[in-house]
Amino acid sequence: MDEKPCLFSSEYRHQFRSICTVHLVTVGYGVTVGWTAPIIPLLRSEDTPLPAGPITVEQASWIGSSLCIGGMTGTVLFALIHTYFGKKIGLLLLAVPHLILWSLIWAGDNVYYIYVARVLSGVTGGGLLTIVPLFVADIADRKIRGALGSLTILHINFGVLASYTAGTYLPYYRIPPIMLILPVAYLTLVSFLPETPYCLLRKGRVDQAEKSLMFYRNVTDDSDGAGTGSGTTGATRKTLAFQYEFEALKAFVLAERTRQGITLADFQTPAAIRGLFVGVFVMALNQFSGILAILTYAGTILQQSGTTFDNRYALILLALINICGNLTSFAIIDKAGRKFFLLISTVGVGIFLTMLGLHSYYYDPDADSGQYSWVPVFSLAGVIYSAALGITNVPFFVLPEILPPKLRSIGSTIAVVLLCFFAFFVMKAYPLLLEAIGIHGTLWISSAVCAVGVVIIAFLVPETKGKNLVVEEQQQESEANKTRTNAF
């Protein structure tokens, strides 16, 4: 049996550090995702910092959902940027909307500034969910790709924890100037990372591509002294395995250059149909299970569910539990597999949503129900922990694994645009549904989605653990050629 790889070994050191560096902007995006949970109840109260007074339910729904409008824009925009200019340029540009949005919140004195800031937050989110999974697929060793892919949602949830905590202890206008430091640090550090080997080979820069792969594999040239020079601590010399990987990558890019462009026939292969179906399904499950909406409106849900816990501390506890779920997934997903975690996650979310819905249905605000006041916090903790195991992280790094290589970029873009559309619908509808049919009705809709999701995952979603994304190209290109031949 192969020994489980260690992320912190010298072999993977540069991959791990590079992806953590990229995720500085992901933490910042997580802050904007979680910012609404403590802030919306504040803006709706008489203590609102806005001169115009408390916001309405309709305005609160726009604050939540406008993020998703920016997400659709950012997905398409950054897909074009990384396709034509490379992933490093795309990563650097992610900091721009982030800088502007916190400046708007800092300077803004009405809800319209917040709307624009939330749209720009969505632009950052759509961009990073488009580029970062592909960046991981480009630089990560397949043995640790799942663990590195899990870091995206983990860092978003670090940001959620920070925003829940800051929203509890810091004044409204104190948060923006602190957050402006993050994109500046991000720009500085990412500028030192090399472009991915794949992007450099596409531009014909073979020597730079080899050096880039050597950096990300922590490999030194035979002519250099191993362990000498900047960034080579613990580095190994070139091996046959490294040479094979680089030659396979060159062959992959060469085949990509010489083959014809994407045609309708490429979308008609069994692998493409299955990949696109699974990609759209996992994105729909990610949103219609209600996880993002619950994180966004957690403060409102706790207020209406009858818990006697202090909402400020309950939010911080929920954010910590969210991170614990991510760490669990991060630690063992490359061993247990993607499908297993997605299935367990969906079952858990469905059960705990049903539990919270039942409590809300039977809750009587006029009766003494203090002995059950722990149920909302416990149920939300179960929902969030279960979701963190799979629903919130697996979809984003399984996309490059499930899609045919030729359709990987456009397929990821399609899936993430649909994700943003689904998110807009759910985020806009959730506060209105909470008012119209109550917590129980809203949560039971999401639990029904989870029940359907369990069946689809069990029978239609394949396992992609350890999949070789480069070698697979030859097999699927052959399959596509057969389909084109049959079409004529």
Side-chain angles (χ1 to χ4, degrees):
M1 181 180 291
D2 294 337
E3 184 180 351
K4 188 178 185 298
C6 175
L7 274 180
F8 307 105
S9 67
S10 60
E11 181 181 1
Y12 305 124
R13 181 178 300 157
H14 287 176
Q15 296 173 49
F16 181 73
R17 288 178 178 174
S18 299
I19 290 172
C20 286
T21 297
V22 165
H23 281 317
L24 285 175
V25 76
T26 310
V27 172
Y29 173 65
V31 171
T32 66
V33 170
W35 180 81
T36 52
I39 296 300
I40 283 180
L42 173 65
L43 295 178
R44 293 189 63 188
S45 73
E46 294 300 324
D47 297 325
T48 178
L50 300 180
I55 63 173
T56 65
V57 174
E58 180 70 19
Q59 289 173 325
S61 72
W62 278 111
I63 289 174
S65 60
S66 56
L67 176 142
C68 308
I69 298 173
M72 287 183 271
T73 305
T75 299
V76 175
L77 176 63
F78 280 92
L80 294 172
I81 289 172
H82 84 71
T83 298
Y84 292 102
F85 301 102
K87 294 184 177 67
K88 182 175 178 179
I89 294 296
L91 289 170
L92 289 169
L93 290 176
L94 284 174
V96 176
H98 208 70
L99 283 165
I100 298 173
L101 79 89
W102 285 113
S103 300
L104 287 173
I105 292 177
W106 194 9
D109 59 358
N110 63 61
V111 74
Y112 298 103
Y113 282 87
I114 299 175
Y115 290 161
V116 177
R118 294 286 289 169
V119 170
L120 290 171
S121 171
V123 172
T124 301
L128 73 87
L129 293 179
T130 298
I131 296 178
V132 171
L134 296 174
F135 178 78
V136 173
D138 276 6
I139 74 165
D141 188 288
R142 64 188 180 91
K143 295 178 183 177
I144 61 167
R145 195 170 59 234
L148 292 179
S150 297
L151 287 173
T152 300
I153 300 301
L154 179 62
H155 281 81
I156 288 177
N157 288 330
F158 282 143
V160 171
L161 172 62
S163 63
Y164 282 5
T165 306
T168 298
Y169 293 106
L170 294 179
Y172 178 83
Y173 286 109
R174 186 69 57 82
I175 299 173
I178 295 173
M179 287 305 304
L180 285 170
I181 298 171
L182 197 61
V184 175
Y186 167 82
L187 277 171
T188 303
L189 294 174
V190 171
S191 64
F192 290 103
L193 295 179
E195 178 60 277
T196 70
Y198 170 78
C199 289
L200 290 168
L201 284 172
R202 284 192 64 194
K203 297 175 182 178
R205 302 174 183 175
V206 179
D207 290 341
Q208 292 180 36
E210 184 175 19
K211 291 178 181 178
S212 173
L213 187 62
M214 288 169 62
F215 172 82
Y216 289 118
R217 295 295 179 267
N218 201 16
V219 168
T220 186
D221 200 318
D222 291 337
S223 61
D224 298 331
T228 63
S230 177
T232 61
T233 304
T236 59
R237 294 181 182 275
K238 286 184 182 178
T239 62
L240 289 176
F242 174 86
Q243 294 288 4
Y244 172 78
E245 181 181 10
F246 185 62
E247 291 302 322
L249 185 59
K250 283 200 298 184
F252 168 68
V253 175
L254 179 62
E256 192 178 58
R257 282 180 180 173
T258 56
R259 72 190 173 201
Q260 67 181 87
I262 295 174
T263 65
L264 182 61
D266 293 312
F267 291 92
Q268 296 173 341
T269 66
I273 293 171
R274 182 183 63 181
L276 288 170
F277 170 78
V278 172
V280 172
F281 161 72
V282 294
M283 292 305 181
L285 179 64
N286 178 277
Q287 288 305 314
F288 287 104
S289 60
I291 303 307
L292 180 58
I294 287 171
L295 288 173
T296 301
Y297 303 115
T300 303
I301 292 173
L302 285 170
Q303 278 184 344
Q304 297 179 7
S305 62
T307 181
T308 57
F309 283 73
D310 188 316
N311 284 2
R312 297 172 299 173
Y313 304 120
L315 286 175
I316 295 172
L317 174 63
L318 292 176
L320 287 169
I321 289 171
N322 200 5
I323 291 172
C324 289
N326 288 143
L327 290 173
T328 303
S329 175
F330 170 75
I332 58 178
I333 194 167
D334 276 312
K335 185 175 182 180
R338 286 80 158 123
K339 181 173 181 175
F340 172 79
F341 268 98
L342 196 56
L343 190 61
I344 293 297
S345 175
T346 307
V347 170
V349 169
I351 290 173
F352 285 108
L353 284 173
T354 302
M355 181 186 300
L356 182 55
L358 285 170
H359 174 272
S360 300
Y361 182 76
Y362 289 107
Y363 169 67
D364 182 358
D366 297 324
D368 182 13
S369 55
Q371 59 180 325
Y372 300 110
S373 65
W374 56 270
V375 174
V377 176
F378 175 79
S379 299
L380 275 180
V383 168
I384 289 173
Y385 182 84
S386 299
L389 291 178
I391 288 178
T392 59
N393 62 352
V394 169
F396 299 106
F397 66 85
V398 84
L399 265 177
E401 298 177 335
I402 197 65
L403 290 168
K406 190 173 183 180
L407 302 180
R408 195 164 289 148
S409 180
I410 189 172
S412 295
T413 302
I414 292 170
V416 176
V417 167
L418 286 173
L419 169 75
C420 295
F421 175 75
F422 298 149
F424 173 78
F425 178 83
V426 173
M427 298 278 278
K428 188 72 175 71
Y430 235 74
L432 304 178
L433 287 172
L434 290 173
E435 291 284 328
I437 61 176
I439 293 177
H440 61 279
T442 308
L443 298 184
W444 285 345
I445 292 173
S446 293
S447 64
V449 170
C450 291
V452 174
V454 168
V455 177
I456 295 176
I457 293 166
F459 294 102
L460 297 178
V461 176
E463 178 57 70
T464 58
K465 180 181 70 172
K467 193 174 186 181
N468 192 316
L469 300 185
V470 174
V471 172
E472 179 207 13
E473 164 66 5
Q474 287 81 14
Q475 299 171 345
Q476 295 193 354
E477 181 66 17
S478 175
E479 183 181 340
N481 288 335
K482 289 180 182 177
T483 301
R484 294 190 194 101
T485 302
N486 293 335
F488 291 101

mmCIF file with all atom_site columns, all heavy atoms in Angstrom, residues 155-174:
data_model
loop_
_atom_site.group_PDB
_atom_site.id
_atom_site.type_symbol
_atom_site.label_atom_id
_atom_site.label_alt_id
_atom_site.label_comp_id
_atom_site.label_asym_id
_atom_site.label_entity_id
_atom_site.label_seq_id
_atom_site.pdbx_PDB_ins_code
_atom_site.Cartn_x
_atom_site.Cartn_y
_atom_site.Cartn_z
_atom_site.occupancy
_atom_site.B_iso_or_equiv
_atom_site.pdbx_formal_charge
_atom_site.auth_seq_id
_atom_site.auth_comp_id
_atom_site.auth_asym_id
_atom_site.auth_atom_id
_atom_site.pdbx_PDB_model_num
ATOM 1   N N   . HIS A 1 155 ? -10.134 28.506 3.040  1.00 0.00 ? 155 HIS A N   1
ATOM 2   C CA  . HIS A 1 155 ? -9.733  29.904 3.186  1.00 0.00 ? 155 HIS A CA  1
ATOM 3   C C   . HIS A 1 155 ? -10.932 30.846 3.108  1.00 0.00 ? 155 HIS A C   1
ATOM 4   O O   . HIS A 1 155 ? -10.943 31.890 3.777  1.00 0.00 ? 155 HIS A O   1
ATOM 5   C CB  . HIS A 1 155 ? -8.684  30.268 2.134  1.00 0.00 ? 155 HIS A CB  1
ATOM 6   C CG  . HIS A 1 155 ? -7.308  29.790 2.472  1.00 0.00 ? 155 HIS A CG  1
ATOM 7   N ND1 . HIS A 1 155 ? -6.901  28.493 2.233  1.00 0.00 ? 155 HIS A ND1 1
ATOM 8   C CD2 . HIS A 1 155 ? -6.263  30.408 3.068  1.00 0.00 ? 155 HIS A CD2 1
ATOM 9   C CE1 . HIS A 1 155 ? -5.650  28.347 2.651  1.00 0.00 ? 155 HIS A CE1 1
ATOM 10  N NE2 . HIS A 1 155 ? -5.242  29.492 3.154  1.00 0.00 ? 155 HIS A NE2 1
ATOM 11  N N   . ILE A 1 156 ? -11.935 30.519 2.298  1.00 0.00 ? 156 ILE A N   1
ATOM 12  C CA  . ILE A 1 156 ? -13.159 31.320 2.313  1.00 0.00 ? 156 ILE A CA  1
ATOM 13  C C   . ILE A 1 156 ? -13.757 31.312 3.716  1.00 0.00 ? 156 ILE A C   1
ATOM 14  O O   . ILE A 1 156 ? -14.191 32.343 4.244  1.00 0.00 ? 156 ILE A O   1
ATOM 15  C CB  . ILE A 1 156 ? -14.177 30.788 1.282  1.00 0.00 ? 156 ILE A CB  1
ATOM 16  C CG1 . ILE A 1 156 ? -13.716 31.108 -0.138 1.00 0.00 ? 156 ILE A CG1 1
ATOM 17  C CG2 . ILE A 1 156 ? -15.560 31.391 1.527  1.00 0.00 ? 156 ILE A CG2 1
ATOM 18  C CD1 . ILE A 1 156 ? -14.622 30.564 -1.222 1.00 0.00 ? 156 ILE A CD1 1
ATOM 19  N N   . ASN A 1 157 ? -13.725 30.151 4.346  1.00 0.00 ? 157 ASN A N   1
ATOM 20  C CA  . ASN A 1 157 ? -14.323 30.041 5.678  1.00 0.00 ? 157 ASN A CA  1
ATOM 21  C C   . ASN A 1 157 ? -13.460 30.676 6.766  1.00 0.00 ? 157 ASN A C   1
ATOM 22  O O   . ASN A 1 157 ? -13.992 31.091 7.801  1.00 0.00 ? 157 ASN A O   1
ATOM 23  C CB  . ASN A 1 157 ? -14.617 28.580 5.999  1.00 0.00 ? 157 ASN A CB  1
ATOM 24  C CG  . ASN A 1 157 ? -15.781 28.056 5.180  1.00 0.00 ? 157 ASN A CG  1
ATOM 25  O OD1 . ASN A 1 157 ? -16.680 28.798 4.818  1.00 0.00 ? 157 ASN A OD1 1
ATOM 26  N ND2 . ASN A 1 157 ? -15.758 26.780 4.858  1.00 0.00 ? 157 ASN A ND2 1
ATOM 27  N N   . PHE A 1 158 ? -12.145 30.771 6.554  1.00 0.00 ? 158 PHE A N   1
ATOM 28  C CA  . PHE A 1 158 ? -11.326 31.598 7.447  1.00 0.00 ? 158 PHE A CA  1
ATOM 29  C C   . PHE A 1 158 ? -11.814 33.047 7.380  1.00 0.00 ? 158 PHE A C   1
ATOM 30  O O   . PHE A 1 158 ? -11.900 33.750 8.397  1.00 0.00 ? 158 PHE A O   1
ATOM 31  C CB  . PHE A 1 158 ? -9.851  31.533 7.053  1.00 0.00 ? 158 PHE A CB  1
ATOM 32  C CG  . PHE A 1 158 ? -9.142  30.282 7.486  1.00 0.00 ? 158 PHE A CG  1
ATOM 33  C CD1 . PHE A 1 158 ? -8.181  29.693 6.673  1.00 0.00 ? 158 PHE A CD1 1
ATOM 34  C CD2 . PHE A 1 158 ? -9.419  29.692 8.701  1.00 0.00 ? 158 PHE A CD2 1
ATOM 35  C CE1 . PHE A 1 158 ? -7.521  28.538 7.067  1.00 0.00 ? 158 PHE A CE1 1
ATOM 36  C CE2 . PHE A 1 158 ? -8.760  28.537 9.104  1.00 0.00 ? 158 PHE A CE2 1
ATOM 37  C CZ  . PHE A 1 158 ? -7.809  27.962 8.287  1.00 0.00 ? 158 PHE A CZ  1
ATOM 38  N N   . GLY A 1 159 ? -12.128 33.478 6.158  1.00 0.00 ? 159 GLY A N   1
ATOM 39  C CA  . GLY A 1 159 ? -12.646 34.830 5.992  1.00 0.00 ? 159 GLY A CA  1
ATOM 40  C C   . GLY A 1 159 ? -14.015 35.004 6.634  1.00 0.00 ? 159 GLY A C   1
ATOM 41  O O   . GLY A 1 159 ? -14.296 36.048 7.234  1.00 0.00 ? 159 GLY A O   1
ATOM 42  N N   . VAL A 1 160 ? -14.874 33.988 6.511  1.00 0.00 ? 160 VAL A N   1
ATOM 43  C CA  . VAL A 1 160 ? -16.189 34.043 7.153  1.00 0.00 ? 160 VAL A CA  1
ATOM 44  C C   . VAL A 1 160 ? -16.033 34.169 8.670  1.00 0.00 ? 160 VAL A C   1
ATOM 45  O O   . VAL A 1 160 ? -16.717 34.982 9.316  1.00 0.00 ? 160 VAL A O   1
ATOM 46  C CB  . VAL A 1 160 ? -17.024 32.792 6.796  1.00 0.00 ? 160 VAL A CB  1
ATOM 47  C CG1 . VAL A 1 160 ? -18.301 32.739 7.635  1.00 0.00 ? 160 VAL A CG1 1
ATOM 48  C CG2 . VAL A 1 160 ? -17.377 32.795 5.307  1.00 0.00 ? 160 VAL A CG2 1
ATOM 49  N N   . LEU A 1 161 ? -15.131 33.380 9.245  1.00 0.00 ? 161 LEU A N   1
ATOM 50  C CA  . LEU A 1 161 ? -14.880 33.457 10.684 1.00 0.00 ? 161 LEU A CA  1
ATOM 51  C C   . LEU A 1 161 ? -14.397 34.859 11.067 1.00 0.00 ? 161 LEU A C   1
ATOM 52  O O   . LEU A 1 161 ? -14.869 35.449 12.057 1.00 0.00 ? 161 LEU A O   1
ATOM 53  C CB  . LEU A 1 161 ? -13.833 32.419 11.100 1.00 0.00 ? 161 LEU A CB  1
ATOM 54  C CG  . LEU A 1 161 ? -13.324 32.512 12.546 1.00 0.00 ? 161 LEU A CG  1
ATOM 55  C CD1 . LEU A 1 161 ? -14.464 32.305 13.535 1.00 0.00 ? 161 LEU A CD1 1
ATOM 56  C CD2 . LEU A 1 161 ? -12.204 31.483 12.785 1.00 0.00 ? 161 LEU A CD2 1
ATOM 57  N N   . ALA A 1 162 ? -13.486 35.410 10.268 1.00 0.00 ? 162 ALA A N   1
ATOM 58  C CA  . ALA A 1 162 ? -12.965 36.751 10.556 1.00 0.00 ? 162 ALA A CA  1
ATOM 59  C C   . ALA A 1 162 ? -14.075 37.795 10.500 1.00 0.00 ? 162 ALA A C   1
ATOM 60  O O   . ALA A 1 162 ? -14.142 38.698 11.344 1.00 0.00 ? 162 ALA A O   1
ATOM 61  C CB  . ALA A 1 162 ? -11.851 37.101 9.566  1.00 0.00 ? 162 ALA A CB  1
ATOM 62  N N   . SER A 1 163 ? -14.973 37.664 9.515  1.00 0.00 ? 163 SER A N   1
ATOM 63  C CA  . SER A 1 163 ? -16.038 38.664 9.393  1.00 0.00 ? 163 SER A CA  1
ATOM 64  C C   . SER A 1 163 ? -17.076 38.518 10.491 1.00 0.00 ? 163 SER A C   1
ATOM 65  O O   . SER A 1 163 ? -17.597 39.516 10.995 1.00 0.00 ? 163 SER A O   1
ATOM 66  C CB  . SER A 1 163 ? -16.709 38.562 8.016  1.00 0.00 ? 163 SER A CB  1
ATOM 67  O OG  . SER A 1 163 ? -17.334 37.305 7.854  1.00 0.00 ? 163 SER A OG  1
ATOM 68  N N   . TYR A 1 164 ? -17.402 37.280 10.876 1.00 0.00 ? 164 TYR A N   1
ATOM 69  C CA  . TYR A 1 164 ? -18.335 37.082 11.990 1.00 0.00 ? 164 TYR A CA  1
ATOM 70  C C   . TYR A 1 164 ? -17.763 37.693 13.276 1.00 0.00 ? 164 TYR A C   1
ATOM 71  O O   . TYR A 1 164 ? -18.482 38.315 14.058 1.00 0.00 ? 164 TYR A O   1
ATOM 72  C CB  . TYR A 1 164 ? -18.588 35.590 12.222 1.00 0.00 ? 164 TYR A CB  1
ATOM 73  C CG  . TYR A 1 164 ? -19.542 34.931 11.249 1.00 0.00 ? 164 TYR A CG  1
ATOM 74  C CD1 . TYR A 1 164 ? -20.065 35.615 10.155 1.00 0.00 ? 164 TYR A CD1 1
ATOM 75  C CD2 . TYR A 1 164 ? -19.932 33.609 11.425 1.00 0.00 ? 164 TYR A CD2 1
ATOM 76  C CE1 . TYR A 1 164 ? -20.929 34.999 9.268  1.00 0.00 ? 164 TYR A CE1 1
ATOM 77  C CE2 . TYR A 1 164 ? -20.812 32.989 10.542 1.00 0.00 ? 164 TYR A CE2 1
ATOM 78  C CZ  . TYR A 1 164 ? -21.301 33.681 9.469  1.00 0.00 ? 164 TYR A CZ  1
ATOM 79  O OH  . TYR A 1 164 ? -22.156 33.067 8.595  1.00 0.00 ? 164 TYR A OH  1
ATOM 80  N N   . THR A 1 165 ? -16.457 37.501 13.478 1.00 0.00 ? 165 THR A N   1
ATOM 81  C CA  . THR A 1 165 ? -15.809 38.029 14.684 1.00 0.00 ? 165 THR A CA  1
ATOM 82  C C   . THR A 1 165 ? -15.702 39.549 14.627 1.00 0.00 ? 165 THR A C   1
ATOM 83  O O   . THR A 1 165 ? -16.038 40.250 15.594 1.00 0.00 ? 165 THR A O   1
ATOM 84  C CB  . THR A 1 165 ? -14.406 37.413 14.841 1.00 0.00 ? 165 THR A CB  1
ATOM 85  O OG1 . THR A 1 165 ? -14.511 35.983 14.816 1.00 0.00 ? 165 THR A OG1 1
ATOM 86  C CG2 . THR A 1 165 ? -13.778 37.847 16.158 1.00 0.00 ? 165 THR A CG2 1
ATOM 87  N N   . ALA A 1 166 ? -15.255 40.066 13.478 1.00 0.00 ? 166 ALA A N   1
ATOM 88  C CA  . ALA A 1 166 ? -15.105 41.521 13.336 1.00 0.00 ? 166 ALA A CA  1
ATOM 89  C C   . ALA A 1 166 ? -16.447 42.218 13.431 1.00 0.00 ? 166 ALA A C   1
ATOM 90  O O   . ALA A 1 166 ? -16.571 43.291 14.045 1.00 0.00 ? 166 ALA A O   1
ATOM 91  C CB  . ALA A 1 166 ? -14.431 41.845 12.008 1.00 0.00 ? 166 ALA A CB  1
ATOM 92  N N   . GLY A 1 167 ? -17.493 41.605 12.827 1.00 0.00 ? 167 GLY A N   1
ATOM 93  C CA  . GLY A 1 167 ? -18.815 42.201 12.883 1.00 0.00 ? 167 GLY A CA  1
ATOM 94  C C   . GLY A 1 167 ? -19.376 42.266 14.290 1.00 0.00 ? 167 GLY A C   1
ATOM 95  O O   . GLY A 1 167 ? -20.235 43.101 14.598 1.00 0.00 ? 167 GLY A O   1
ATOM 96  N N   . THR A 1 168 ? -18.870 41.388 15.163 1.00 0.00 ? 168 THR A N   1
ATOM 97  C CA  . THR A 1 168 ? -19.311 41.355 16.554 1.00 0.00 ? 168 THR A CA  1
ATOM 98  C C   . THR A 1 168 ? -18.586 42.394 17.406 1.00 0.00 ? 168 THR A C   1
ATOM 99  O O   . THR A 1 168 ? -19.187 43.048 18.251 1.00 0.00 ? 168 THR A O   1
ATOM 100 C CB  . THR A 1 168 ? -19.077 39.957 17.151 1.00 0.00 ? 168 THR A CB  1
ATOM 101 O OG1 . THR A 1 168 ? -19.867 39.005 16.419 1.00 0.00 ? 168 THR A OG1 1
ATOM 102 C CG2 . THR A 1 168 ? -19.456 39.908 18.620 1.00 0.00 ? 168 THR A CG2 1
ATOM 103 N N   . TYR A 1 169 ? -17.288 42.561 17.170 1.00 0.00 ? 169 TYR A N   1
ATOM 104 C CA  . TYR A 1 169 ? -16.471 43.359 18.084 1.00 0.00 ? 169 TYR A CA  1
ATOM 105 C C   . TYR A 1 169 ? -16.012 44.709 17.539 1.00 0.00 ? 169 TYR A C   1
ATOM 106 O O   . TYR A 1 169 ? -15.575 45.563 18.313 1.00 0.00 ? 169 TYR A O   1
ATOM 107 C CB  . TYR A 1 169 ? -15.235 42.548 18.504 1.00 0.00 ? 169 TYR A CB  1
ATOM 108 C CG  . TYR A 1 169 ? -15.580 41.344 19.341 1.00 0.00 ? 169 TYR A CG  1
ATOM 109 C CD1 . TYR A 1 169 ? -15.514 40.067 18.809 1.00 0.00 ? 169 TYR A CD1 1
ATOM 110 C CD2 . TYR A 1 169 ? -15.994 41.484 20.667 1.00 0.00 ? 169 TYR A CD2 1
ATOM 111 C CE1 . TYR A 1 169 ? -15.832 38.946 19.569 1.00 0.00 ? 169 TYR A CE1 1
ATOM 112 C CE2 . TYR A 1 169 ? -16.308 40.381 21.444 1.00 0.00 ? 169 TYR A CE2 1
ATOM 113 C CZ  . TYR A 1 169 ? -16.227 39.106 20.880 1.00 0.00 ? 169 TYR A CZ  1
ATOM 114 O OH  . TYR A 1 169 ? -16.557 38.009 21.643 1.00 0.00 ? 169 TYR A OH  1
ATOM 115 N N   . LEU A 1 170 ? -16.068 44.901 16.213 1.00 0.00 ? 170 LEU A N   1
ATOM 116 C CA  . LEU A 1 170 ? -15.551 46.151 15.640 1.00 0.00 ? 170 LEU A CA  1
ATOM 117 C C   . LEU A 1 170 ? -16.681 47.024 15.120 1.00 0.00 ? 170 LEU A C   1
ATOM 118 O O   . LEU A 1 170 ? -17.692 46.520 14.622 1.00 0.00 ? 170 LEU A O   1
ATOM 119 C CB  . LEU A 1 170 ? -14.582 45.847 14.478 1.00 0.00 ? 170 LEU A CB  1
ATOM 120 C CG  . LEU A 1 170 ? -13.270 45.148 14.844 1.00 0.00 ? 170 LEU A CG  1
ATOM 121 C CD1 . LEU A 1 170 ? -12.442 44.907 13.579 1.00 0.00 ? 170 LEU A CD1 1
ATOM 122 C CD2 . LEU A 1 170 ? -12.473 45.968 15.845 1.00 0.00 ? 170 LEU A CD2 1
ATOM 123 N N   . PRO A 1 171 ? -16.526 48.353 15.202 1.00 0.00 ? 171 PRO A N   1
ATOM 124 C CA  . PRO A 1 171 ? -17.522 49.258 14.616 1.00 0.00 ? 171 PRO A CA  1
ATOM 125 C C   . PRO A 1 171 ? -17.596 49.068 13.097 1.00 0.00 ? 171 PRO A C   1
ATOM 126 O O   . PRO A 1 171 ? -16.629 48.632 12.454 1.00 0.00 ? 171 PRO A O   1
ATOM 127 C CB  . PRO A 1 171 ? -16.987 50.652 14.968 1.00 0.00 ? 171 PRO A CB  1
ATOM 128 C CG  . PRO A 1 171 ? -16.052 50.435 16.108 1.00 0.00 ? 171 PRO A CG  1
ATOM 129 C CD  . PRO A 1 171 ? -15.463 49.080 15.917 1.00 0.00 ? 171 PRO A CD  1
ATOM 130 N N   . TYR A 1 172 ? -18.735 49.429 12.532 1.00 0.00 ? 172 TYR A N   1
ATOM 131 C CA  . TYR A 1 172 ? -19.013 49.227 11.104 1.00 0.00 ? 172 TYR A CA  1
ATOM 132 C C   . TYR A 1 172 ? -17.923 49.810 10.213 1.00 0.00 ? 172 TYR A C   1
ATOM 133 O O   . TYR A 1 172 ? -17.463 49.162 9.269  1.00 0.00 ? 172 TYR A O   1
ATOM 134 C CB  . TYR A 1 172 ? -20.369 49.854 10.779 1.00 0.00 ? 172 TYR A CB  1
ATOM 135 C CG  . TYR A 1 172 ? -20.779 49.769 9.341  1.00 0.00 ? 172 TYR A CG  1
ATOM 136 C CD1 . TYR A 1 172 ? -21.382 48.632 8.833  1.00 0.00 ? 172 TYR A CD1 1
ATOM 137 C CD2 . TYR A 1 172 ? -20.582 50.856 8.472  1.00 0.00 ? 172 TYR A CD2 1
ATOM 138 C CE1 . TYR A 1 172 ? -21.773 48.556 7.501  1.00 0.00 ? 172 TYR A CE1 1
ATOM 139 C CE2 . TYR A 1 172 ? -20.972 50.798 7.151  1.00 0.00 ? 172 TYR A CE2 1
ATOM 140 C CZ  . TYR A 1 172 ? -21.568 49.653 6.674  1.00 0.00 ? 172 TYR A CZ  1
ATOM 141 O OH  . TYR A 1 172 ? -21.946 49.585 5.355  1.00 0.00 ? 172 TYR A OH  1
ATOM 142 N N   . TYR A 1 173 ? -17.499 51.035 10.484 1.00 0.00 ? 173 TYR A N   1
ATOM 143 C CA  . TYR A 1 173 ? -16.543 51.708 9.603  1.00 0.00 ? 173 TYR A CA  1
ATOM 144 C C   . TYR A 1 173 ? -15.081 51.404 9.948  1.00 0.00 ? 173 TYR A C   1
ATOM 145 O O   . TYR A 1 173 ? -14.182 51.953 9.309  1.00 0.00 ? 173 TYR A O   1
ATOM 146 C CB  . TYR A 1 173 ? -16.780 53.223 9.623  1.00 0.00 ? 173 TYR A CB  1
ATOM 147 C CG  . TYR A 1 173 ? -18.012 53.637 8.863  1.00 0.00 ? 173 TYR A CG  1
ATOM 148 C CD1 . TYR A 1 173 ? -19.143 54.095 9.533  1.00 0.00 ? 173 TYR A CD1 1
ATOM 149 C CD2 . TYR A 1 173 ? -18.058 53.547 7.479  1.00 0.00 ? 173 TYR A CD2 1
ATOM 150 C CE1 . TYR A 1 173 ? -20.288 54.471 8.825  1.00 0.00 ? 173 TYR A CE1 1
ATOM 151 C CE2 . TYR A 1 173 ? -19.195 53.921 6.766  1.00 0.00 ? 173 TYR A CE2 1
ATOM 152 C CZ  . TYR A 1 173 ? -20.305 54.373 7.448  1.00 0.00 ? 173 TYR A CZ  1
ATOM 153 O OH  . TYR A 1 173 ? -21.428 54.735 6.750  1.00 0.00 ? 173 TYR A OH  1
ATOM 154 N N   . ARG A 1 174 ? -14.834 50.548 10.922 1.00 0.00 ? 174 ARG A N   1
ATOM 155 C CA  . ARG A 1 174 ? -13.461 50.186 11.265 1.00 0.00 ? 174 ARG A CA  1
ATOM 156 C C   . ARG A 1 174 ? -12.948 49.015 10.400 1.00 0.00 ? 174 ARG A C   1
ATOM 157 O O   . ARG A 1 174 ? -11.744 48.875 10.177 1.00 0.00 ? 174 ARG A O   1
ATOM 158 C CB  . ARG A 1 174 ? -13.399 49.788 12.746 1.00 0.00 ? 174 ARG A CB  1
ATOM 159 C CG  . ARG A 1 174 ? -12.002 49.520 13.288 1.00 0.00 ? 174 ARG A CG  1
ATOM 160 C CD  . ARG A 1 174 ? -11.162 50.778 13.374 1.00 0.00 ? 174 ARG A CD  1
ATOM 161 N NE  . ARG A 1 174 ? -11.816 51.794 14.205 1.00 0.00 ? 174 ARG A NE  1
ATOM 162 C CZ  . ARG A 1 174 ? -11.756 51.813 15.531 1.00 0.00 ? 174 ARG A CZ  1
ATOM 163 N NH1 . ARG A 1 174 ? -11.091 50.881 16.194 1.00 0.00 ? 174 ARG A NH1 1
ATOM 164 N NH2 . ARG A 1 174 ? -12.354 52.776 16.210 1.00 0.00 ? 174 ARG A NH2 1
#
